[in-house]
Amino acid sequence: MRIVHVINSLATGGAEHMVVQLAKHGVRAGHEVRIVLLEDKDGIPRTLAEDAGLQVTALGRSVRDPRLLIRLRTAVQGADIVHAHLFPAMYWVAMVPGVKVFTEHSTHNRRIGKRLFRLPERWAYDRYERIIAIGPGVERRVREHAETIRSRTSVVVANNGVADEFYRQEKRSSCSATAIVSVGSLTAVKQHHLAIQALALLPDATLNIAGEGPLRVSLERLIAELGLGTRVHLLGSVEDVPRLLAAHDLLLSTSKYEGFSLAAAEAQAVGLPVIGPDVEGFDSVVVHQMSGLLFEAQDARTIADLVRQVSETETYRRLSQGAVVNARRFSMKASLSANLGVYRSVLNDVRRSG
C-alpha cells in the first residue's frame, strides 16, 4: 500500500511522534510510506524520522503559503491513502484529490464547539472517507462534533501507540515514588506549576520536567520563589525519552486535558505508575488503582497526597506491575494494525462505489 502522511511539521509533539512511528512501522510491514510536511521545521521527531531513513518532504516555510496547494497536489500523487493530521493540514489535504482519512489527536481544540467553524468543519470533514480518533475519549468528543456540524463522515478509533524501545527499557529498581518526571510542553495547558507546587509539599522528592515552551521563565521564577532549585529541574527537549523515564519512579501529569497522553502510555510501558487528571482521553490510558491514580481536584495538596500514597511500598509495586500489563494495549504494532484496517476498509468502500 502507498501511504502518505501529511502534517504541519515534525517539530515537536505527540501527533508528530505518532506519525513517525506509524511511518516507520508501515515501512517495516512492507508498505511504501512517505511523510509530507507543510512547514520546513527542525525538531526531535524530524530527526528521528531522518535517522530511521524515512522519506520526508517539506513543502514550504509557512502553513499559510497559498503555493502549498499546488505543491501538495504533486506530493500526494500516486498515493493509495492520504492520511492528514492536525489543523490546518486537514484543511489543505481536504482540497486535494485522492482517498483521504484524517486523525483527530485531541479532545479539545480551537475548532470544536465554535459556531464560526461549523461550515468549514463540515466542508472539510465531508471530504474525508473516515475521521480517526486516537482513543475513546477523543472519539466521544469527535462524534459530538461531527453531529453538531452535521458531517456525513464516519468516526472510527485507532489507538495511538508506544514505540518498541519503551517496552525494552529496563526501569531502575525502586519501590517508592521519590524521583518524579513530567513530560510536556511548557504551556498553560500542561499546568506544570501544579507539579512544582506539589513538590514543595514533598521534601524527599525530586521533579524533572522534560519539554520546552513559552512558560519557561515563569516556571523558573516559581521554582526559585519556592526554594526548589536543587529538587526541580526544567530539562528542555529530551531526545532519549525511554532512558529518561527509566531513570525515574513515577510520571506526573497535571494537564488540563489530553487527547490520549502518549507520555502516560510510554511511562507505563517502562513500568512507571502514573498520577494524572481524571479527564477524557487520559482516563482511557491510565486505569485508576491498577496502573496509576487519577485526581479530579487540580490542586497541589491533592497531588502531593497521591504521591505519598504511591510511595507506599506495596501500592507502588502493585501499580508498577499493573502499568506494564496495561501498556500492552498500546503497542505500535497494534496501532499500525488498527490504522491499516481503516485504510483497507476505506479502499474497499471506494472500489465498491466505483
Side-chain angles (χ1 to χ4, degrees):
M1 196 182 307
R2 292 166 295 183
I3 306 161
V4 176
H5 292 278
V6 182
I7 191 167
N8 301 333
S9 74
L10 289 180
T12 186
E16 292 80 357
H17 280 279
M18 175 183 167
V19 167
V20 173
Q21 291 298 323
L22 281 176
K24 185 163 70 171
H25 282 72
V27 170
R28 287 181 187 173
H31 301 281
E32 181 184 317
V33 188
R34 292 178 283 132
I35 301 174
V36 172
L37 314 178
L38 300 187
E39 290 185 306
D40 191 1
K41 289 185 176 180
D42 292 329
I44 291 175
R46 183 159 183 183
T47 299
L48 294 174
E50 291 170 348
D51 289 348
L54 298 175
Q55 185 176 344
V56 179
T57 303
L59 301 183
R61 295 183 177 276
S62 170
V63 295
R64 297 179 178 85
D65 187 340
R67 294 172 295 181
L68 284 176
L69 185 57
I70 296 174
R71 295 170 183 172
L72 186 58
R73 283 175 175 268
T74 302
V76 302
Q77 278 183 351
D80 296 312
I81 287 284
V82 180
H83 191 161
H85 304 262
L86 301 181
F87 172 88
M90 59 95 74
Y91 278 21
W92 283 108
V93 173
M95 291 187 281
V96 302
V99 181
K100 304 181 288 288
V101 299
F102 167 61
T103 290
E104 287 279 15
H105 288 265
S106 178
T107 55
H108 292 71
N109 59 54
R110 288 176 292 180
R111 303 173 352 262
I112 292 179
K114 299 293 193 305
R115 185 178 297 273
L116 179 65
F117 278 95
R118 285 188 181 180
L119 288 178
E121 282 289 288
R122 184 199 305 170
W123 169 84
Y125 264 40
D126 284 350
R127 277 152 183 77
Y128 289 93
E129 302 296 329
R130 299 286 190 280
I131 306 299
I132 304 173
I134 62 169
V138 177
E139 179 196 19
R140 287 191 292 270
R141 290 301 302 270
V142 172
R143 284 191 185 279
E144 292 173 2
H145 181 54
E147 290 175 5
T148 299
I149 64 176
R150 299 180 180 178
S151 171
R152 301 184 300 271
T153 305
S154 298
V155 178
V156 297
V157 176
N159 279 332
N160 203 345
V162 174
D164 299 340
E165 50 264 34
F166 289 90
Y167 294 95
R168 296 193 295 262
Q169 191 69 51
E170 185 176 346
K171 176 182 172 292
R172 83 174 194 153
S173 178
S174 177
C175 288
S176 67
T178 56
I180 304 171
V181 63
S182 294
V183 179
S185 59
L186 307 185
T187 57
V189 169
K190 299 302 182 182
Q191 301 189 122
H192 290 302
H193 67 280
L194 289 176
I196 295 169
Q197 290 167 349
L199 253 288
L201 305 174
L202 299 165
D204 297 325
T206 61
L207 171 65
N208 286 324
I209 301 175
E212 196 53 85
L215 297 186
R216 169 176 276 276
V217 173
S218 63
L219 293 175
E220 289 174 337
R221 187 180 304 119
L222 177 62
I223 292 168
E225 289 173 354
L226 296 176
L228 297 175
T230 61
R231 295 197 293 122
V232 179
H233 301 95
L234 304 181
L235 305 180
S237 297
V238 175
E239 187 166 342
D240 195 344
V241 178
R243 181 176 294 181
L244 171 73
L245 294 176
H248 291 80
D249 304 318
L250 169 76
L251 179 84
L252 171 59
S253 171
T254 49
S255 187
K256 285 183 182 178
Y257 54 81
E258 289 283 357
F260 175 85
S261 187
L262 182 60
E266 292 169 343
Q268 291 173 97
V270 176
L272 271 62
V274 176
I275 292 177
D278 189 5
V279 296
E280 271 190 332
F282 202 94
D283 63 359
S284 63
V285 176
V286 179
V287 180
H288 184 61
Q289 291 290 357
M290 175 198 169
S291 64
L293 299 177
L294 303 178
F295 56 83
E296 293 184 2
Q298 298 199 1
D299 66 86
R301 191 168 298 280
T302 297
I303 294 167
D305 287 343
L306 292 181
V307 173
R308 294 188 191 100
Q309 289 181 38
V310 175
S311 293
E312 296 173 3
T313 301
E314 287 305 315
T315 301
Y316 186 89
R317 185 178 291 114
R318 173 174 59 81
L319 294 178
S320 180
Q321 292 171 349
V324 173
V325 172
N326 187 48
R328 292 172 186 159
R329 298 187 291 143
F330 306 120
S331 71
M332 201 62 228
K333 181 178 179 181
S335 181
L336 175 66
S337 178
N339 278 277
L340 289 176
V342 175
Y343 301 162
R344 293 187 181 105
S345 173
V346 165
L347 292 172
N348 285 338
D349 288 352
V350 170
R351 291 188 190 104
R352 283 195 293 266
S353 64

